[in-house]
Amino acid sequence: MKINEHFLDLKDSYLFATVGRKTAEYKRAHPDKEVIRLSIGDVTRPLAPAVIAAMHKAVDNMSRTETFKGYGPDQYCYAYDELLDTILASYARKGVTLEKGEVFVSDGAKSDCGNILDIFSVDNTVLVPDPVYPVYLDTNIMAGRKVVFADANEGNGFLPMPDERVQADIIYLCSPNNPTGAAYTCEQLKAWVDYARANNAVILYDAAYEYFVTDARCARSIYQVEGAKECAIELCSYSKTAGFTGVRCGYTIVPHALVRKGTSLNKLWARRQSTKFNGVSYITQMGAAAVFTEEGEREIAENIGYYRENAKIISDCLDSLGIWYTGGKNSPYIWLKCPNGMKSWDFFDYLLENAQVVGTPGSGFGANGEGFFRLTAFGTHENTRRACDRIRALLGK
Ligand code: MLT
């Protein structure tokens, strides 16, 4: 028996597990202090009423023989038509035409980010931005793939552009970006699409935060860029869009036009999913199917508006302190420069010990994140305001 030794190349623990452990240690040592978490991007608003009603109805259907559901339909890898239709309609509103067979429903973008790698050879070179959502990097380290980095930094507004000298086969892009909150315009994404096509590469485009885009120039889907269907897979999630972090549902788009050496990547992914996955629960799918309806969209827009207000509260606080940051406009994340040249984990400790506010150290997202820090707008108004008051009182000194 041999273990997969590539696991030994990983850092000891997943970033958010380390943040959680350090926070728990602090709370144990200071039971009298109240800690406010603006660290992991986990939502706090309840599900939209339209989603709840649809899930209740689905539960009732499960209670009667005539309406009971077992495995989902296998034609579209266990996704129900009701759900697929709403996903296609939401794309149509963004000006993108898709077919049902191009949409794969899953239990979330994080799982698909890792699982999609099954269809690619381990010999591929992978390009990931630095800093980056740790899942892209860790899943490739686990598989033993060669990883190269695209420099995201203050100079390029944390939006790296393609470098013709770099040869990559798989490219990860996330826009609006986790962790930096920076968002690509369609024009900028066009350069990536051109680069991918010229290099025969495939882009894995994480659009989990697209509902936070307000700037009309920024992309909501990579397929808004001409030629993207021939070179990109898009990963989407109901987690941040509709508060599904505890429900689990997402969808991945693998266009029929994505073909390499005569092989359809859509067919490979369908084969992978039908073999290793039995679909998302009927109740969850019915809840998700209520998200992109007229009523659902109105209700989720209210929740997203709520988080946007939090982002504004945080941005205003940083503005008043003269602290540099990106994000917060088209994104629920605010990526700030640690004051006085502090290192990320030092600032984490400083903020926890002196203001009892928890954020995420930028260095946990990559070497280029050193000296930066991420705050999330997914908290409650009350906690966000109180955290900002504490930050202002501490750093304004
Ligand atoms: C984050 O805080 O970066 C997100 O919660 C990660 C995720 O969605 O898995």
Side-chain angles (χ1 to χ4, degrees):
M1 195 290 293
K2 289 186 185 132
I3 57 159
N4 176 354
E5 294 205 348
H6 297 303
F7 274 67
L8 307 180
D9 298 330
L10 294 164
K11 278 194 202 144
D12 263 357
S13 88
Y14 184 57
L15 171 63
F16 295 104
T18 311
V19 169
R21 180 182 50 76
K22 287 191 88 149
T23 310
E25 275 166 15
Y26 179 84
K27 281 171 84 171
R28 257 196 310 278
H30 304 86
D32 52 317
K33 304 261 195 212
E34 190 229 4
V35 173
I36 301 178
R37 292 168 194 255
L38 298 183
S39 46
I40 191 158
D42 197 4
V43 291
T44 49
R45 302 294 298 152
L47 294 174
V51 171
I52 294 291
M55 288 176 112
H56 277 163
K57 191 170 161 213
V59 170
D60 289 341
N61 284 347
M62 293 300 257
S63 73
R64 289 184 298 265
T65 313
E66 315 80 66
T67 48
F68 172 78
K69 306 281 182 201
Y71 293 126
D74 49 20
Q75 189 185 5
Y76 297 116
C77 282
Y78 318 110
Y80 287 89
D81 277 326
E82 291 96 313
L83 176 55
L84 292 172
D85 286 339
T86 61
I87 295 171
L88 295 192
S90 86
Y91 269 98
R93 288 194 284 277
K94 291 173 232 170
V96 175
T97 308
L98 292 178
E99 290 170 28
K100 274 189 201 172
E102 297 180 306
V103 182
F104 295 85
V105 173
S106 73
D107 64 349
K110 182 176 178 176
S111 330
D112 274 7
C113 261
N115 293 339
I116 195 79
L117 294 172
D118 275 8
I119 68 169
F120 297 104
S121 158
V122 287
D123 297 334
N124 287 305
T125 298
V126 180
L127 179 67
V128 297
D130 174 9
V132 73
Y133 178 41
V135 178
Y136 311 154
L137 181 62
D138 288 357
T139 49
N140 279 290
I141 291 177
M142 287 173 185
R145 274 193 198 85
K146 183 178 167 205
V147 177
V148 291
F149 293 96
D151 256 337
N153 51 46
E154 209 178 326
N156 58 26
F158 286 94
L159 289 170
M161 295 305 291
D163 179 345
E164 300 304 332
R165 293 162 303 178
V166 175
Q167 173 64 50
D169 307 304
I170 299 172
I171 302 156
Y172 282 86
L173 297 177
C174 175
S175 180
N177 189 266
N178 180 11
T180 69
Y184 282 113
T185 61
C186 287
E187 204 180 317
Q188 287 170 315
L189 276 187
K190 174 85 173 85
W192 278 109
V193 167
D194 291 346
Y195 168 87
R197 294 182 70 179
N199 286 278
N200 216 17
V202 170
I203 296 173
L204 299 180
Y205 186 78
D206 184 343
Y209 300 93
E210 56 110 352
Y211 261 73
F212 286 84
V213 168
T214 46
D215 185 337
R217 291 167 309 161
C218 292
R220 297 278 310 271
S221 160
I222 195 164
Y223 304 121
Q224 290 173 318
V225 175
E226 205 195 318
K229 282 190 181 167
E230 281 103 71
C231 67
I233 290 174
E234 184 159 288
L235 302 128
C236 303
S237 166
Y238 287 99
S239 285
K240 317 299 157 93
T241 303
F244 270 48
T245 54
V247 179
R248 309 307 310 149
C249 195
Y251 46 99
T252 289
I253 312 298
V254 189
H256 291 308
L258 186 51
V259 175
R260 289 292 182 273
K261 289 198 179 146
T263 301
S264 152
L265 272 67
N266 178 290
K267 280 219 172 96
L268 295 186
W269 182 239
R271 186 70 175 81
R272 191 270 175 211
Q273 287 301 78
S274 57
T275 306
K276 292 198 186 183
F277 185 59
N278 253 345
V280 174
S281 84
Y282 165 71
I283 298 162
T284 297
Q285 289 201 47
M286 291 305 105
V291 171
F292 300 135
T293 57
E294 211 180 313
E295 197 189 354
E297 288 246 2
R298 190 171 21 81
E299 290 167 356
I300 61 162
E302 269 172 39
N303 282 349
I304 288 171
Y306 179 97
Y307 297 131
R308 280 204 189 106
E309 265 180 58
N310 286 345
K312 173 91 170 59
I313 294 168
I314 300 171
S315 312
D316 287 349
C317 166
L318 298 176
D319 284 337
S320 74
L321 292 164
I323 292 176
W324 187 94
Y325 63 91
T326 55
K329 304 246 153 40
N330 295 296
S331 155
Y333 294 125
I334 292 98
W335 178 253
L336 61 110
K337 198 166 178 178
C338 301
N340 302 325
M342 275 177 113
K343 290 191 153 190
S344 304
W345 278 107
D346 292 343
F347 187 59
F348 174 91
D349 291 334
Y350 180 72
L351 217 51
L352 178 57
E353 277 157 26
N354 297 289
Q356 290 76 49
V357 173
V358 183
T360 311
S363 57
F365 297 99
N368 279 8
E370 183 59 276
F372 290 86
F373 199 73
R374 195 194 76 174
L375 293 173
T376 142
F378 285 121
T380 61
H381 279 341
E382 198 204 351
N383 277 350
T384 306
R385 272 199 203 97
R386 286 166 61 230
C388 286
D389 288 346
R390 292 183 191 180
I391 292 173
R392 212 179 273 111
L394 179 68
L395 302 182
K397 271 195 243 165

